[in-house]
Amino acid sequence: GIVQSGNQSMIYAYDNAGKTSEATLTVAKGDWTAEGVTKLSLQLRGASGNVADQVYVALNGTAVVYHDDAGATQLTGWNEWVIDLAAFGVDLANVSSITIGVGTKNAPAPDGGAGTMYFDEIVLIR
C-alpha cells in the first residue's frame, strides 16, 4: 500500500460532518524529556480531492499544535511535519496520550468534509 517506509502506514479515513475526527494512542512510557528529545516528527499524506482542513497533534488530550498549512489534508506526497515539543506547553515528563486529528479540536463544523489521510514514521527526535 501507501507507505513512507517500512511495511505499513496508518490509513486515516475521516468524516468531519458535525464532529472532529481523532485517533488517540495511550502512551505507556510517557517521559518525553529523556535523552535530550526536543521534537516530534511525523510523515503525513493527504490527497488533492480531500476538502481542505487542518491537521493537529494533541498531547494528554488538551495540548494542541496545528499544522502550519490550514489545508494540510490536501498535501500530496509524503510531507514531514516536525513539531518542537515546547510548543505543546505541557509537562513532557508525564505524557499519557498522543492524538492526531483533523479539523479544529473541540469545535466541530456542521459542514466539515471527509477524506483519507496517511500517517507514518511518528518518532521523537533530538
Side-chain angles (χ1 to χ4, degrees), residues 61-123:
T62 58
V64 181
V65 174
Y66 290 92
H67 193 282
D68 289 338
D69 187 333
T73 53
Q74 292 184 320
L75 293 173
T76 58
W78 286 104
N79 298 270
E80 183 180 26
W81 181 17
V82 179
I83 304 168
D84 186 330
L85 291 175
F88 289 103
V90 296
D91 179 6
L92 297 170
N94 192 23
V95 176
S96 60
S97 67
I98 180 172
T99 300
I100 298 174
V102 175
T104 302
K105 184 153 179 67
N106 299 323
D111 57 348
T116 302
M117 298 282 302
Y118 294 87
F119 298 94
D120 204 348
E121 295 185 21
I122 303 168
V123 296

Side-chain angles (χ1 to χ4, degrees), residues 47-67:
S48 59
N50 288 347
V51 173
D53 211 339
Q54 53 192 352
V55 175
Y56 62 86
V57 173
L59 298 182
N60 298 343
T62 58
V64 181
V65 174
Y66 290 92
H67 193 282

Side-chain angles (χ1 to χ4, degrees), residues 1 10 21-23 31 82 114:
M10 180 176 85
S21 300
E22 295 183 332
D31 184 357
V82 179

